[in-house]
């Protein structure tokens, strides 16, 4: 049981390049989230998904797109990277009910630098 | 709008001393409350949570927190700090059925 995994762990992009971050979970969770973490700002929600085939915008969605084609995977895309997107990106998942409802389980993060 | 405030971006305590990390929230409905810990270069890990029932909640690694509705607070405490407690701690509150609002985090520094 790997929990939540993220690929890649590190990436350096040039301004204008595109990339996709992959998040996978093996806990059969309905809900998945993408956050970015910047110093002194806590976690900010980029996009989230409440089930396969559904996505929604969070607090800071501009410049990002997401897809949830399979329940276990949640992809975050950067179409044209900008230096302001330099951050640490975390994926999380949570169940939709039961005793662990609302608990979010996090991946190890992807450190992205845009030059 | 719901919000979470963590007082102090950095808290420094001596090894063996009491740890107190403060969290206040604003919410129009009874919240669920969480504390997460993040060790350097790692993801976040759940320390403890309050949903309903007993207002004093015990978590992992000797931490506990008390939900005080009248003070809209959920402060995190540990009687005796250990060097391994050095990390960043985040308080979070539910704002609906599937989203959390996060505090900005408090870095706990342990002095030998």
């Amino acid at each position: 049981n790997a929990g939540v995994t993220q690929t890649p762990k590190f990436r350096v992009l040039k301004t204008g390049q595109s990339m996709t971050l992959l998040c996978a979970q093996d806990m059969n969770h309905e809900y998945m989230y993408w956050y970015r973490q910047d110093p002194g700002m806590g976690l900010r929600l980029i996009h989230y998904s409440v089930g396969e085939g559904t996505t929604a915008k969070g607090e800071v969605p501009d410049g990002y797109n997401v897809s949830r084609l399979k329940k276990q995977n949640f992809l975050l895309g950067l179409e044209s990277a900008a230096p302001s997107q330099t951050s640490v990106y975390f994926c999380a998942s949570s169940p939709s009910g039961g005793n662990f409802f609302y608990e979010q389980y996090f991946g190890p993060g992807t450190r992205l630098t845009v030059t | 709008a719901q919000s979470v405030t963590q007082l102090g971006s950095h808290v420094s305590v001596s090894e063996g001393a009491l740890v107190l990390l403060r969290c206040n929230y604003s919410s129009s409905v009874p919240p669920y409350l969480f504390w997460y810990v993040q060790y350097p270069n790692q993801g976040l890990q759940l320390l403890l949570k309050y949903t309903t029932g007993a207002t004093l909640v015990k978590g992992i690694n000797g931490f506990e927190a008390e939900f005080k509705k009248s003070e809209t607070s959920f402060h995190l405490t540990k009687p005796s700090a250990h060097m391994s407690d050095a990390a960043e701690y985040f308080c979070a509150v539910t704002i609906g059925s599937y989203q959390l609002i996060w505090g900005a985090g408090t870095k706990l520094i342990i002095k030998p």
Side-chain angles (χ1 to χ4, degrees), chain B residues 6 21 35-37 47 63 76 85 87-90 105-106 108:
Chain B
Q6 291 184 238
L21 304 182
W35 276 100
Y36 281 79
V37 60
L47 259 185
F63 284 93
L76 182 70
D85 295 326
E88 190 160 17
Y89 293 79
F90 293 91
T106 298
L108 178 62

Side-chain angles (χ1 to χ4, degrees), chain A residues 31 33 35 37 40-43 45 48 50 90 94 99-109 111, chain B residues 32 34 36 38 41-46 49 51 88 90 94 96-105:
Chain A
Y31 301 155
Y33 312 82
Y35 292 96
Q37 184 181 33
M41 303 188 74
L43 293 172
L45 184 64
Y48 63 96
V50 299
F90 287 101
S94 69
N99 291 335
F100 301 100
F101 190 27
Y102 297 116
E103 288 185 30
Q104 294 188 11
Y105 297 77
F106 283 80
R111 188 173 296 274
Chain B
Y32 288 8
F34 302 81
Y36 281 79
Q38 184 181 31
N41 299 314
Q42 294 187 26
L44 282 74
Q45 176 184 356
L46 182 67
K49 67 178 181 182
T51 54
E88 190 160 17
F90 293 91
T94 53
S97 61
Y98 39 77
Q99 288 191 53
L100 296 177
I101 287 284
W102 296 85

Side-chain angles (χ1 to χ4, degrees), chain A residues 54-104:
Chain A
T54 70
T55 63
K57 294 180 180 180
E59 181 186 354
V60 289
D62 294 342
Y64 305 95
N65 58 73
V66 288
S67 65
R68 182 118 181 253
L69 298 179
K70 293 183 179 180
K71 185 177 183 179
Q72 63 268 34
N73 295 339
F74 195 28
L75 278 63
L76 178 71
L78 283 72
E79 296 165 342
S80 179
S84 61
Q85 294 177 304
T86 293
S87 188
V88 181
Y89 291 86
F90 287 101
C91 176
S93 69
S94 69
S96 58
N99 291 335
F100 301 100
F101 190 27
Y102 297 116
E103 288 185 30
Q104 294 188 11

Side-chain angles (χ1 to χ4, degrees), chain B:
Chain B
Q2 285 154 309
S3 64
V4 176
T5 302
Q6 291 184 238
L7 190 61
S9 60
H10 293 77
V11 169
S12 181
V13 302
S14 297
E15 191 174 16
L18 171 71
V19 174
L20 171 61
L21 304 182
R22 299 177 189 273
C23 173
N24 287 87
Y25 68 92
S26 66
S27 174
S28 56
V29 297
Y32 288 8
L33 298 147
F34 302 81
W35 276 100
Y36 281 79
V37 60
Q38 184 181 31
Y39 297 103
N41 299 314
Q42 294 187 26
L44 282 74
Q45 176 184 356
L46 182 67
L47 259 185
L48 51 78
K49 67 178 181 182
Y50 169 78
T51 54
T52 58
T55 56
L56 183 63
V57 180
K58 295 188 185 300
I60 61 171
N61 301 335
F63 284 93
E64 62 182 35
E66 186 170 12
F67 169 54
K68 292 187 176 180
K69 186 177 178 181
S70 61
E71 299 177 9
T72 61
S73 69
F74 191 54
H75 302 331
L76 182 70
T77 60
K78 182 174 180 178
S80 177
H82 192 271
M83 295 300 292
S84 60
D85 295 326
E88 190 160 17
Y89 293 79
F90 293 91
C91 182
V93 176
T94 53
I95 62 163
S97 61
Y98 39 77
Q99 288 191 53
L100 296 177
I101 287 284
W102 296 85
T106 298
K107 279 193 177 163
L108 178 62
I109 301 159
I110 311 296
K111 297 179 290 186

